[in-house]
Structures are given as structure tokens and as C-alpha cells.
Amino acid sequence: MCGILGIVAKSPANQLLYDGLLMLQHRGQDASGIVTAQGNTFHMHKGLGLVRDVFRTRNMRALTGNMGIGHVRYPTVGSARSPAEAQPFYVNSPFGIVLSHNGNLTNAEQLNQELFRTDLRHVNTNSDSEVLLNVLAHELQESTRNCQLDPAAIFSAVAGVHRRCKGAYAVVAMIAGYGLLAFRDPYGIRPLVFGTAENEMGDEYLVASESVALDTLGFKLIRDIEPGEAIFIDENGNFYNKQCCAKTSSLSPCIFEYVYLARPDSVIDGISVYETRLNMGEYLAEKIKKSMSHLNIDVVIPIPDSGRPCALQLANCLGVNFREGFVKNRYVGRTFIMPGQQQRRKSVRQKLNAMSIEFRGKNVLLVDDSIVRGTTSREIVQMAREAGANKIYFASAAPPVRYPNVYGIDMPTRQELIATDRDTDEICAEIDADYLIFQDLDALNRAVSVVSPAVDKFETSCFDGIYITGDVTPDYLNSLEFQRNSSQLSHHTRYNTQLDLSLVFSE
């Protein structure tokens, strides 16, 4: 889960990219980067940290040009704290190309070997995004052997990427002196939208992970990029698209985007994230009424922020008071995407404070978007007890997360998931709640699909263990867990935290 942006404007793009990344900051807090293009010259600045911390006035002034891409990083594979793996990445052959990627390639290791042995390309980091960039560069080289670089050749190269790459990927890339390319994997697992804004000099285009970036920057949402589709906007603002570069495609967006990852004011694949979260609360209320009427609930309290819409609708449907019992410190990052259990546990207490007036002597139903590792849930239940709650019931808007996610969410190891090999009663005991309620998977699917019946299939592997790309084996999961554990033990080196580059490429 990262945030990506791409823009072709009629005026300097640096401020638009900065403002857009601020709107996508929730998608990644580990690193930030921007590259702009001015003719054949790329200007890059990237580093570890939040957008506001990475970019200073002097950095922004150096990011000249009317076209650019940006990225906020949430680490899934490779080093969590290496600036070398901050995006965008670049290569200079056969063209100057920079790329930002959201997702995760499930065959990155195989591709890395192919790049080295067959394509004669070298990858410098452990990032699958750099692998994807080099695959794209090689396919561009192949597609232009007997012709010039044009939209048809670019779309042919994207088709080559689809043939070789497996997993989840939403991509924005720039080709020096040519334009902006954006494409999405054949299943549409990770989101990507585009829109336009009118300018007296011509139309401007913006591509982003979520529609909220378009809304706040004054762009009109056109639509989502379809699974397997590629779009290209040249540096003069001419728009081209290839409806499906992949051999086959089928829309199956990641359902966890609606549960937690996306902002509630975003629309993904035509589905309002906020509306789906209201539906999750309604279906939870139906479940409680049907089989848990013995619970004597005095008040419903959300775990801010993503649990709030669900909790509000749940309280309304049950006819129970809704109260804000936790005050959130908004200057602490999202605990789910913080690497390391100790850091997550510590940040929960820094991030939330319970108001005893809403807990003392009451039977409280706490509502959160999901329970992944259980660290946050356990600490929150303890805080509620310390605030004087009589009984603590806990509801999750999502089903138990029992399986690793391999498509770009930080859930790669089974031992980290509290629901692995545990039933509901055992999970309830682990988080020290008096009662635990999970959403049913069928209800979750219905909560999202009812908003737009045209989307009726979702990527739900973290709940049911069914991996839609068909290439995820037990050996692959074991390898991923070993890689993650080794990475956590070995990365203690201190690095410089920011990087500035200006790169000139000839056509």
C-alpha cells in the first residue's frame, strides 16, 4: 500500500505533486519522493519521512517542469528504512525512465534472475518496484527495435510487462522527452484513477491512487484505469489509451482498501468508500440482533478514525448511544503501517487517550475496522478497562485476518496474525475482551458490492486464503516469511535520509 501520483500540467507541477502527496500520506509514511521533467532532464528529490519533512523550499525550487510523478512509501518488501528504496526509481536505458509503483510482485525473484541472465540488466536494491521498472525498460527496448517510440510501442511494452509480471501493481512512469504512462495489473487489485482540469492553455491530466487527490487539486474525476489498461499522455497533453494490454483481465479490487486503507472520501472503482463502511456497520448490527441479543450494550465507541462510519451506523441500527470515547493525537502515524511490534505498541498509547467519562461503569461496544496483529486491539481494551468500563465488547468491521497478504499490504508472516490457528473465543481471550464479534465475509462482500453491483468480485485472500493470481504457493509464503524475518534482524545500518538528482537524457 503506497500512494502514487502523475501529472501533465501547463504550469509548474511541483506544488501540485506536493499537495497531492499530502492527500495520499495515509497510504505511506516511511518515505516520499517527487521527480519532475523539463524537456529531457529529470529533477528528483526523495527521502525518508513524511512529505512535509522530506521537502523544503530549496528542494521544491529545484523540481522544475510541468510534468512529474510522486510517491509515498509504505514498506512491504526489502528494507523498511533504506532511502535507497524510496521511490521513484529511474533507469537511463534505452530511455530515461522514472517509475512509481503501488503493489507487490509475486514473481519478483524470478524476474530478477531473468533480468540479470537474459535481459542483461542489474537491479541495485531489494525492491520489486525496481524490478518492475527494469522489466518495463527492457520491454520498451524490445518494442522499439524496428520503430520509433510512440504510443503503440509503449502499449506493446506494457503488454510485455503484463506477460511477465505477476501480482498487484498500479504504476505511473515518465519517459524523458515523451510523456506520462500509467497502467494497472490485469486484476485491478490496487486502485488507480485519472482526471482532468481545464486550463486556458489546454487540458491538464492527473493520475492518482485515490480520487481524493483529484478532488482537492481541482481535477474532475474521469474514471478508474481499468484492469490491464494503459494510458499515455504526451508532454503536450495529448491523451492515448489502450483498453486492455493484458491477454485477459477481470476486475477484482482489494477489499481491504474499503475496510481500512483508503480515505473515506475516496471513490474506488465507482464505489464510495464511506458508503461501504456505513454498510459494514449495518450488517454488523444485523448480526448482533440475530444472534447476540443477550449483550447489554450501553454505548458504542469507535476506534478513530477508520472505525467511525461503521460504528456510527451500527449504533443507529441498534438504537444505542454513539459516543467518542477516545481522543486521537493526529501527529502520530497509523499504527498498522508502522514496522515492528514494539513501535506499534508504544504508539497506540501515544496516539489514543481514553476519556473515563464515557467508559466508567458502562458496557461498551468498541468498533474497529479490523484486527490484524492484535497489538492495537489489546492495548485499546486495556485502556478502556483502566478508564472504568464494566464490560468491553469488541466488534471488527472485517472478518478475521487469517492469511498473509502478498499484494502490497504489510501482512506477510502468519505468526504475526492473531487469527492464525485461533477461533473467535481464543482471539477474544488474547485481546482480553469480554466478547468479540467479527463481520462475516459474505456480509463484507455485500457491503461493498451493493454500492456498485457492477463490481461483484474482490481480492479477499487475507480472509479466505484464496490468491487470485494463482501463483502463490506454500513455498512462496515460507520464502516471504524468511525474507521478512531476516530483513528485520539485519538492517541496523544508518543511511543518509535524502537524495537529490538532476538527470539529463538524450532522445
Side-chain angles (χ1 to χ4, degrees):
M1 184 190 82
C2 298
I4 61 176
L5 279 175
I7 189 167
V8 178
K10 300 298 181 180
S11 58
N14 53 1
Q15 189 66 52
L16 287 170
L17 289 165
Y18 178 89
D19 293 342
L21 289 183
L22 287 177
M23 295 301 103
L24 299 178
Q25 187 73 86
H26 61 286
R27 298 189 67 87
Q29 301 166 357
D30 179 69
S32 310
I34 290 175
V35 177
T36 57
Q38 191 171 33
N40 292 329
T41 304
F42 285 152
H43 304 284
M44 176 188 292
H45 181 74
K46 60 182 181 178
L48 298 180
L50 302 175
V51 175
R52 69 186 183 200
D53 298 324
V54 170
F55 296 96
R56 295 285 186 261
T57 302
R58 65 182 181 276
N59 309 130
M60 296 298 292
R61 286 174 177 165
L63 295 171
T64 56
N66 297 348
M67 184 170 65
I69 65 175
H71 187 272
V72 287
R73 180 174 185 257
Y74 150 62
T76 55
V77 181
S79 170
R81 297 301 299 170
S82 169
E85 294 182 8
Q87 297 187 42
F89 285 112
Y90 71 93
V91 294
N92 60 7
S93 173
F95 309 94
I97 308 170
V98 288
L99 175 144
S100 291
H101 162 226
N102 173 30
N104 186 53
L105 300 183
T106 52
N107 65 334
E109 184 175 347
Q110 172 193 334
L111 290 170
N112 203 347
Q113 294 175 2
E114 291 177 5
L115 288 168
F116 180 73
R117 296 173 181 172
T118 306
D119 300 347
L120 304 180
R121 287 182 169 271
H122 179 69
V123 176
N124 297 301
T125 70
N126 294 321
S127 174
D128 63 322
S129 301
E130 191 186 5
V131 171
L132 195 155
L133 169 60
N134 277 274
V135 171
L136 174 62
H138 176 78
E139 294 301 323
L140 277 171
Q141 181 174 327
E142 293 298 304
S143 68
T144 56
R145 282 193 183 277
N146 300 312
C147 65
Q148 66 179 4
L149 184 66
D150 58 17
I154 291 169
F155 294 145
S156 176
V158 174
V161 172
H162 289 321
R163 284 194 300 270
R164 297 179 64 182
C165 295
K166 296 184 184 298
Y169 48 93
V171 174
V172 290
M174 279 194 305
I175 306 173
Y178 288 92
L180 177 74
L181 170 67
F183 58 92
R184 198 173 175 197
D185 70 74
Y187 295 96
I189 297 172
R190 301 262 72 88
L192 197 61
V193 301
F194 74 95
T196 62
E198 293 183 359
N199 185 291
E200 60 185 18
M201 298 177 63
D203 288 339
E204 299 178 316
Y205 288 89
L206 179 67
V207 181
S209 292
E210 293 185 32
S211 63
V212 64
L214 279 68
D215 298 339
T216 56
L217 296 180
F219 282 74
K220 179 183 177 182
L221 174 66
I222 300 299
R223 60 177 174 84
D224 298 81
I225 294 177
E226 298 295 328
E229 182 185 15
I231 67 171
F232 178 73
I233 304 108
D234 68 24
E235 58 185 354
N236 296 317
N238 298 309
F239 178 88
Y240 307 86
N241 80 303
K242 177 75 171 177
Q243 191 65 32
C244 189
C245 295
K247 186 176 181 180
T248 60
S249 64
S250 174
L251 180 59
S252 300
C254 173
I255 205 164
F256 215 74
E257 291 281 352
Y258 302 96
V259 172
Y260 172 80
L261 302 181
R263 273 181 46 152
D265 46 345
S266 285
V267 177
I268 297 176
D269 290 308
I271 298 173
S272 163
V273 175
Y274 182 73
E275 192 172 350
T276 66
R277 292 177 185 173
L278 291 177
N279 291 339
M280 292 172 203
E282 181 178 338
Y283 296 148
L284 268 178
E286 289 178 2
K287 182 174 183 177
I288 292 172
K289 286 179 180 178
K290 184 176 180 179
S291 58
M292 303 167 194
S293 57
H294 61 282
L295 298 180
N296 183 21
I297 302 169
D298 295 320
V299 62
V300 174
I301 293 178
I303 312 303
D305 283 317
S306 48
R308 185 173 288 114
C310 176
L312 177 62
Q313 190 72 346
L314 189 155
N316 288 336
C317 293
L318 292 181
V320 176
N321 287 333
F322 173 87
R323 291 288 187 271
E324 295 283 356
F326 293 100
V327 176
K328 183 177 181 180
N329 179 351
R330 300 186 182 277
Y331 300 97
V332 178
R334 300 177 88 178
T335 56
F336 172 64
I337 62 176
M338 287 182 174
Q341 287 287 70
Q342 283 297 116
Q343 189 174 354
R344 291 188 192 95
R345 187 175 296 114
K346 180 181 178 182
S347 65
V348 172
R349 294 278 179 161
Q350 296 172 334
K351 175 179 165 182
L352 296 176
N353 186 47
M355 294 186 290
S356 59
I357 190 173
E358 295 295 352
F359 290 92
R360 192 178 298 117
K362 297 178 182 179
N363 295 334
V364 178
L365 176 60
L366 303 178
V367 182
D368 206 352
D369 52 79
S370 59
I371 301 175
V372 180
R373 294 169 176 85
T375 308
T376 302
S377 304
R378 189 181 302 112
E379 290 294 320
I380 286 172
V381 169
Q382 183 61 33
M383 290 167 65
R385 291 205 187 280
E386 292 170 1
N390 179 35
K391 293 283 186 179
I392 301 172
Y393 312 129
F394 203 105
S396 167
V401 177
R402 300 190 184 279
Y403 303 92
N405 183 286
V406 300
Y407 299 126
I409 305 176
D410 188 22
M411 302 177 191
T413 60
R414 286 161 284 192
Q415 63 264 33
E416 288 185 294
L417 303 176
I418 193 172
T420 300
D421 297 325
R422 291 188 179 98
D423 61 24
T424 300
D425 289 340
E426 291 170 326
I427 300 169
C428 183
E430 283 290 320
I431 67 172
D432 196 30
D434 294 295
Y435 203 89
L436 178 59
I437 307 146
F438 281 109
Q439 186 86 265
D440 296 324
L441 183 55
D442 288 344
L444 178 60
N445 283 323
R446 192 166 70 252
V448 182
S449 63
V450 72
V451 181
S452 177
V455 185
D456 59 1
K457 186 177 181 181
F458 301 95
E459 199 295 302
T460 58
S461 58
C462 60
F463 304 123
D464 59 15
I466 300 172
Y467 296 94
I468 198 164
T469 55
D471 61 327
V472 179
T473 65
D475 286 344
Y476 174 81
L477 295 176
N478 290 334
S479 173
L480 198 62
E481 290 182 6
F482 177 79
Q483 176 186 354
R484 176 182 173 84
N485 292 335
S486 299
S487 177
Q488 289 175 341
L489 289 173
S490 63
H491 287 288
H492 300 296
T493 308
R494 293 286 182 259
Y495 299 88
N496 293 328
T497 60
Q498 297 190 1
L499 176 65
D500 276 299
L501 288 173
S502 289
L503 307 165
V504 181
F505 300 98
S506 58
E507 298 184 31

